[in-house]
Amino acid sequence: MSEHFKVHGGARLTGEVQVVGAKNSVLKLMAASLLAEGTTTITNCPEILDVPLMGDVLRGLGCEVGVAGDTVWITTPAELKHEADYGSVYKLRASVCVLGPLLGRCRRAKVALPGGDAIGSRPLDMHQNGLRRLGARSEIEHGCVVADAENLHGAQIWLDFPSVGATENILMAAVLAQGTTVIDNAAREPEIIDLCVMLQQMGALISGAGTSTLTIDGVDALHPTEHRVIGDRIVGATWAFAAAMTRGDVTVRGVDPHHLDLVLEKLRLSGAHIEPDRDSFRVAMPERPTALDFVTLPYPGFATDLQPMAIALSAISDGTSMITENVFEARFRFIEEMVRLGADARTDGHHAVVRGVERLSSAPVWASDIRAGAGLVLAGLWADGVTEVWDVFHIDRGYPRFVENLRDLGAHIERATSPPQR
Ligand code: UD1
């Protein structure tokens, strides 16, 4: 049996929604717990499948992991295993972030090439090159990344691209290397800052978090800590787009609006009233949105994870939008599904041109990854009739209480089970 969502179009979303911790932060923070012997506690964790999957990866390395509500405890032993279980890692892209901590702690690591979303090729060359600069050998052997080092030493590292994952892996190896490491062209995402804050609480010496140059002075050992995960800006922005698309009025709580400065400015330009507050923001859209262009880039640019939401909004906006994808080339697969819903959209290389229509038209559609799935549900909210979104396990990986949150905002959506449709 397969689960799908039935989305009844037409409801205007209003009210408040609480956002919890960021998926793209918590998984890295869980990996960082490998760096210190003892019990690390992480709070404000989202209740999504990826958290227990990451727990399985850590258990396979010898940790004890407990999950209760929004809190995760990880007890890391003095002697860690250095080989991550192939089956667990394969299920979860983010699990590759155990590579850096394992190399830091054990001076060797073997991690299967990860699985995860089908959004484009996701090589690990920058991760490996960075670890090599720290003195490690790193090869791909029998489907695994294998790394080992006699000694990890500080180094100057220039990333070709501000890769989130490469920055995190190199950072987590460098905190236990001898000497000073400088990562230039580092990623600046809020989740990187969150990781740096937790590592600093554990005793790491890091400066430059949130800038393109991270400087790390290696220490001999770190100690466990307690840390609260930052709110999920991608989930928060998803609700902001949902409000804008349905001409609604939604207050999003639990997200720092500064993490969404560009996104909220875009929505303002499309006609929404935006009221940012300290840890929340309100989005109210009085009339049909005006078409805008979007260009995805590393933070503080417009997040590639929000590209499907930008296309869904453009599909019903007044005018023509151009969306340029610069990070993951296969993300435009989403457009095929949008066309089923009546979107007037086509792609040319890494550009998509979308001419807004007044109303979309319901159809069965298939989610290909977490964010594409959320984008299809948003489109279904402004389609005539009942849109069925299939393969919703993708959405469940990234959005806790997705259906419940939408229903609380007034959407007519239900989860249904029936035999797979294809
Ligand atoms: C993370 C996020 C993902 C988000 C992405 C970009 C997690 C779990 N996932 O993914 O949701 O969409 O950042 O914001 O945090 N690349 C290479 N070589 C490498 C590493 C990356 O060529 O060694 C390329 C990738 O193919 C991609 C680009 O760099 O084109 C950005 O990837 P990266 O920032 O590393 O994304 P992830 O960390 O995988």
Side-chain angles (χ1 to χ4, degrees):
M1 298 297 269
S2 180
E3 286 193 320
H4 63 280
F5 293 158
K6 285 187 173 170
V7 188
H8 303 250
R12 182 172 171 260
L13 299 196
T14 56
E16 292 189 4
V17 58
Q18 180 71 39
V19 173
V20 294
K23 172 183 93 75
N24 286 352
S25 212
V26 68
L27 303 173
K28 325 305 172 63
L29 302 176
M30 289 175 73
S33 71
L34 292 170
L35 288 162
E37 185 188 341
T39 303
T40 293
T41 305
I42 306 172
T43 60
N44 198 32
C45 298
E47 291 181 50
I48 51 173
L49 190 59
D50 279 9
V51 169
L53 285 178
M54 190 66 179
D56 288 344
V57 173
L58 299 183
R59 277 191 200 99
L61 294 167
C63 299
E64 285 174 30
V65 183
V67 182
D70 77 348
T71 302
V72 174
W73 295 269
I74 300 150
T75 303
T76 300
E79 296 293 326
L80 272 174
K81 295 179 192 147
H82 73 281
E83 289 189 26
D85 174 65
Y86 199 103
S88 307
V89 172
Y90 193 79
K91 289 184 200 150
L92 180 64
R93 167 82 204 169
S95 53
V96 75
C97 65
V98 300
L99 182 64
L102 284 180
L103 189 63
R105 261 307 284 293
C106 311
R107 295 298 192 247
R108 55 190 183 144
K110 185 173 175 190
V111 181
L113 289 170
D117 292 329
I119 56 178
S121 74
R122 298 177 91 170
L124 296 174
D125 54 316
M126 284 189 258
H127 301 237
Q128 290 186 282
N129 287 338
L131 298 178
R132 287 181 190 126
R133 295 279 302 170
L134 297 179
R137 180 188 75 91
S138 178
E139 305 297 336
I140 307 287
E141 290 172 6
H142 310 295
C144 297
V145 197
V146 181
D148 55 70
E150 295 264 306
N151 273 311
L152 280 185
H153 54 73
Q156 170 77 49
I157 295 165
W158 296 272
L159 294 181
D160 290 341
F161 184 92
S163 153
V164 171
T167 302
E168 291 163 341
N169 258 329
I170 298 165
L171 169 67
M172 288 194 273
V175 289
L176 291 181
Q178 284 171 354
T180 302
T181 298
V182 177
I183 309 176
D184 243 325
N185 202 19
R188 294 188 276 163
E189 270 68 2
E191 294 75 22
I192 301 273
I193 303 179
D194 203 26
L195 175 60
C196 287
V197 169
M198 175 161 142
L199 291 170
Q200 285 163 336
Q201 286 165 196
M202 294 169 79
L205 302 176
I206 304 167
S207 61
T211 76
S212 320
T213 307
L214 282 174
T215 304
I216 305 119
D217 287 309
V219 295
D220 289 339
L222 298 179
H223 52 80
T225 189
E226 181 169 338
H227 182 80
R228 182 182 166 84
V229 188
I230 56 164
D232 196 316
R233 66 194 163 98
I234 304 297
V235 173
T238 302
W239 302 136
F241 274 90
M245 286 187 65
T246 60
R247 287 151 222 197
D249 185 346
V250 171
T251 298
V252 179
R253 300 204 181 278
V255 178
D256 182 343
H258 286 308
H259 294 167
L260 291 170
D261 278 336
L262 176 57
V263 172
L264 295 178
E265 177 60 7
K266 282 282 176 189
L267 291 175
R268 194 185 64 73
L269 290 171
S270 79
H273 298 305
I274 307 290
E275 282 174 32
D277 210 332
R278 205 174 57 85
D279 203 24
S280 67
F281 56 88
R282 178 177 169 205
V283 176
M285 181 63 95
E287 54 200 15
R288 186 175 178 196
T290 305
L292 296 175
D293 292 343
F294 293 90
V295 178
T296 70
L297 280 172
Y299 190 86
F302 189 86
T304 174
D305 283 353
L306 294 173
Q307 186 238 86
M309 305 1 150
I311 289 176
L313 178 75
S314 303
I316 55 125
S317 291
D318 187 8
T320 300
S321 306
M322 184 158 80
I323 294 98
T324 304
E325 174 56 55
N326 289 314
V327 184
F328 287 115
E329 73 282 357
R331 269 218 144 115
F332 279 152
R333 281 173 52 185
F334 168 72
I335 288 185
E336 287 169 34
E337 301 304 299
M338 284 298 294
V339 168
R340 289 183 210 276
L341 293 174
D344 181 353
R346 65 198 165 91
T347 56
D348 185 0
H350 67 133
H351 302 292
V353 175
V354 184
R355 294 186 180 88
V357 296
E358 284 272 351
R359 198 92 194 188
L360 295 167
S361 144
S362 59
V365 285
W366 278 263
S368 52
D369 70 81
I370 302 174
R371 311 302 170 189
L376 290 171
V377 171
L378 262 52
L381 293 173
W382 202 249
D384 279 334
V386 183
T387 295
E388 288 180 4
V389 180
W390 290 85
D391 289 351
V392 296
F393 59 89
H394 287 296
I395 303 176
D396 292 334
R397 281 190 42 224
Y399 290 87
R401 302 187 70 252
F402 186 72
V403 168
E404 292 79 357
N405 281 330
L406 278 168
R407 289 169 78 116
D408 289 347
L409 293 172
H412 302 301
I413 177 170
E414 70 228 44
R415 188 185 282 269
T417 307
S418 56
Q421 295 297 292
R422 66 173 193 189

